[in-house]
Every structure is written in C-alpha cells, then in structure tokens.
C-alpha cells in the first residue's frame, strides 16, 4: 500500500493543451497561404498604377509640347 501513496499524482491534460499546437500550425500555414496572393495583388496593382502614371506623364508632356 505504501507504493501507491508514493506515486506522483497523474496529471490530466486538457483538450486545449492537446490540440493547441496543431491549431497554431494550421493557423500559421493559412496565414502564409493568404498573405502570398495579397502581396502579389498589391505588386500587380502598384505596377499597373506606375504604368498609368508614366502614360499620363507622357500624354501631358506631348500635350504641352
């Protein structure tokens, strides 16, 4: 009987502690998957805006010359 009382108490693990690493990993992957198209869209928009500004500058230069 003394051996039973000498054992350390068994620690129960909550569902949150079991699942949180997987949830964090999935959240990280989703963040990367969502960020990549957003960055590409912003780059495309800036390239288009730059092209339109250059065209507008050339048109206005031709108009005044």
């Amino acid at each position: 009987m003394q051996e039973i009382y000498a054992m350390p108490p068994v620690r129960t693990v909550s569902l949150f502690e079991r699942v949180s690493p997987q949830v964090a990993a999935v959240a990280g992957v989703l963040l990367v998957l969502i960020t990549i198209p957003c960055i590409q869209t912003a780059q495309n928009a800036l390239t288009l805006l730059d092209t339109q500004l250059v065209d507008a500058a050339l048109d206005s230069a031709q108009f005044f010359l």
Side-chain angles (χ1 to χ4, degrees):
M1 285 300 248
Q2 291 178 349
E3 293 174 1
I4 294 175
Y5 294 113
M7 290 177 46
V10 177
R11 183 174 176 270
T12 58
V13 178
S14 69
L15 179 63
F16 176 77
E17 289 176 323
R18 275 188 275 160
V19 178
S20 60
Q22 290 87 356
V23 171
V26 169
V29 169
L30 288 176
L31 181 65
V32 169
L33 290 177
I34 291 170
T35 303
I36 291 172
C38 291
I39 291 173
Q40 290 177 344
T41 301
Q43 287 176 346
N44 291 341
L46 291 174
T47 302
L48 180 62
L49 179 63
D50 185 42
T51 303
Q52 288 178 345
L53 288 175
V54 168
D55 288 344
L58 290 175
D59 290 342
S60 63
Q62 289 176 355
F63 178 73
F64 286 113
L65 295 177

